[in-house]
Amino acid sequence: MSWRHALAALALCLLAGLAGAAPDTAQIEQGAYLARVGNCMGCHTQAGGQAYAGGRAIPTPFGSVFAPNLTPDPATGLGRWSAEDFWNALHHGRSRDGRLLSPAFPYDNYTLLSRADSDAIHAYLRSLPAVVAPARAHGLRFPYNTQAALWVWRALFFRPGEYRPEPGRDPAWNRGAYLSQGLAHCSACHGPRNALGARPGPADFSGAALPGMGWYAPSLHDRREAGVAGWAEADLMQWLKTGTAAPGSALGPMAEVVLGSTRHLSEPDLRAMARYLQSLPPQARPRPQAQAAAPALRAQGRSAYLDHCASCHGRDGEGRPGAYPALRGNRTVLMEPPTNLLRVMLQGGFAPATPGHPRPYGMPPFAGQLNEAELAAIASYIRQAWGNQAGAVQALQVLQHKATR
């Protein structure tokens, strides 16, 4: 090699060292996949805003938390964050400057991620176009907006740790557990919380109200709510992929999860998640004795149902396969309390439009068409008709849900 070639090679090496290693395309692609599975864009993109630029309000019982900018802008995003900084945020719940992060960012789930997956997501986020989007100050009430409160919370409820495969379970089951407990953070919605917002653990999916949203994330352990142990595996995989399958459709916040997260799962990961979710230990929450609707209320509800609902759901609640769900034996109809039923009646029900099911049927909202008494009568009727056995609904309950937007 001539001295000119040697000098050129040395210069290239020096330039490469100054610029850092060239991006690993495979790592970025893997990070893009993982970011979709985790639905990172869902929380870190506000309505009408630029992808991953933050600003969306995350409601909590203690005030709103605003998701930060994840694009590589050096002043307002992750431009100065190293892979180690990003790992510390996911694994330890600490920002680049050492501040403790709010657990509205579900690092008690993300702590289970492997370092390799964390690095891949970081590489992907670094590959995005930089967007200048300064962070919005959180709207948490005192003392929840203090580092001291976060320190106490973490001392009581948080321990970092990676996912460890469970002995005796096959790789697919463990992959499904890793995704569901960690990256997909299913328990962030489906896990119950105590008075300080802490959950029993990432593998508890026994149901919880979603603060500030007016929806209930049903138990994945209870067959009467959202347990899937009795589903065919193919149906569950289809439901996760498209939002619609023979047993029902994803509505409300879960429709957003399918659209932003689970529809992107690869075939092996779909099967792994389905296998894990179908293996969850059964739990049945005690239910209050159903209060029968007065005959006049049932008559009013039946008349209103025939006028407004029967053309789609059938005179006897049989529904139309592939279009409108049956109401006879429908878990959302029978759930206690009737939170999700009333939310659908008020706001409408819309399954996600996915490549596998691009034109789903939807239900229009009735909040502006029927008053509280009429909606309560319909809800009471369908909860006690055709063999359904659930409590009557009062107009006050409808009014309370109407006030929650």
Side-chain angles (χ1 to χ4, degrees):
M1 177 186 296
S2 70
W3 67 271
R4 291 187 179 86
H5 290 123
L7 188 60
L10 178 60
L12 287 174
C13 289
L14 290 172
L15 288 172
L18 291 171
D24 184 332
T25 302
Q27 185 187 41
I28 291 174
E29 290 177 353
Q30 175 68 0
Y33 171 75
L34 295 170
R36 293 186 185 101
V37 173
N39 198 18
C40 304
M41 190 168 68
C43 285
H44 290 272
T45 306
Q46 63 179 327
Q50 298 189 64
Y52 292 100
R56 179 172 179 174
I58 310 299
T60 80
F62 318 105
S64 292
V65 172
F66 291 93
N69 181 1
L70 296 186
T71 74
D73 179 67
T76 66
L78 301 183
R80 295 192 177 100
W81 284 54
S82 67
E84 185 72 20
D85 295 332
F86 191 73
W87 164 252
N88 281 330
L90 267 60
H91 190 68
H92 296 290
R94 287 183 177 272
S95 186
R96 178 173 177 265
D97 59 5
R99 287 180 301 109
L100 304 179
L101 298 174
S102 166
F105 173 62
Y107 55 80
D108 47 349
N109 292 101
Y110 294 154
T111 190
L112 301 181
L113 266 65
S114 69
R115 180 61 191 263
D117 282 353
S118 172
D119 288 353
I121 297 171
H122 176 260
Y124 168 65
L125 296 175
R126 296 273 299 176
S127 75
L128 297 173
V131 177
V132 178
R136 296 180 62 181
H138 298 324
L140 295 170
R141 301 187 302 276
F142 181 83
Y144 309 110
N145 59 349
T146 66
Q147 287 286 292
L150 287 175
W151 185 89
V152 172
W153 189 93
R154 289 164 59 96
L156 292 172
F157 304 119
F158 175 65
R159 299 293 182 274
E162 292 187 50
Y163 178 77
R164 303 297 180 190
E166 187 170 321
R169 296 288 191 173
D170 60 45
W173 186 96
N174 275 295
R175 175 66 175 174
Y178 172 76
L179 293 171
S180 302
Q181 296 178 23
L183 186 60
H185 58 285
C186 304
S187 64
C189 288
H190 291 277
R193 296 179 183 270
N194 64 19
L196 294 178
R199 293 176 283 120
D204 188 317
F205 312 101
S206 52
L210 300 179
M213 300 178 69
W215 289 87
Y216 169 70
S219 169
L220 304 183
H221 300 273
D222 191 340
R223 292 191 182 199
R224 297 173 303 177
E225 294 196 6
V228 291
W231 287 30
E233 184 181 80
D235 283 342
L236 180 52
M237 292 175 64
Q238 179 184 336
W239 190 89
L240 292 168
K241 189 72 174 178
T242 69
T244 302
S249 297
L251 303 175
M254 192 62 211
E256 184 178 338
V257 170
V258 171
L259 189 64
S261 173
T262 61
R263 76 179 178 93
H264 297 287
L265 286 163
S266 66
E267 189 79 7
D269 281 351
L270 273 173
R271 193 173 303 280
M273 185 175 283
R275 180 174 300 182
Y276 172 71
L277 294 176
Q278 291 189 301
S279 76
L280 293 176
Q283 299 173 3
R285 180 181 293 114
R287 293 194 174 192
Q289 185 175 359
Q291 178 186 0
L297 184 63
R298 282 179 57 89
Q300 179 190 4
R302 182 176 187 277
S303 175
Y305 174 84
L306 293 175
D307 288 343
H308 298 284
C309 315
S311 60
C312 291
H313 294 288
R315 291 180 61 87
D316 296 314
E318 70 275 13
R320 294 187 186 180
Y324 304 109
L327 303 182
R328 185 194 306 137
N330 186 297
R331 296 192 296 187
T332 299
V333 169
L334 298 172
M335 206 174 296
E336 296 287 0
T339 300
N340 293 350
L341 171 63
L342 296 181
R343 184 56 53 195
V344 170
M345 294 176 70
L346 288 166
Q347 292 187 337
F350 304 96
T354 59
H357 196 243
R359 299 183 66 183
Y361 289 84
M363 174 177 159
F366 283 90
Q369 186 175 355
L370 301 175
N371 63 35
E372 291 82 21
E374 291 169 321
L375 290 168
I378 294 174
S380 297
Y381 172 70
I382 64 176
R383 280 163 64 85
Q384 298 185 358
W386 321 302
N388 287 347
Q389 297 181 14
V393 176
Q394 307 301 318
L396 179 59
Q397 290 175 273
V398 181
L399 186 61
Q400 290 170 335
H401 282 82
K402 208 170 187 178
T404 304
R405 298 291 181 181

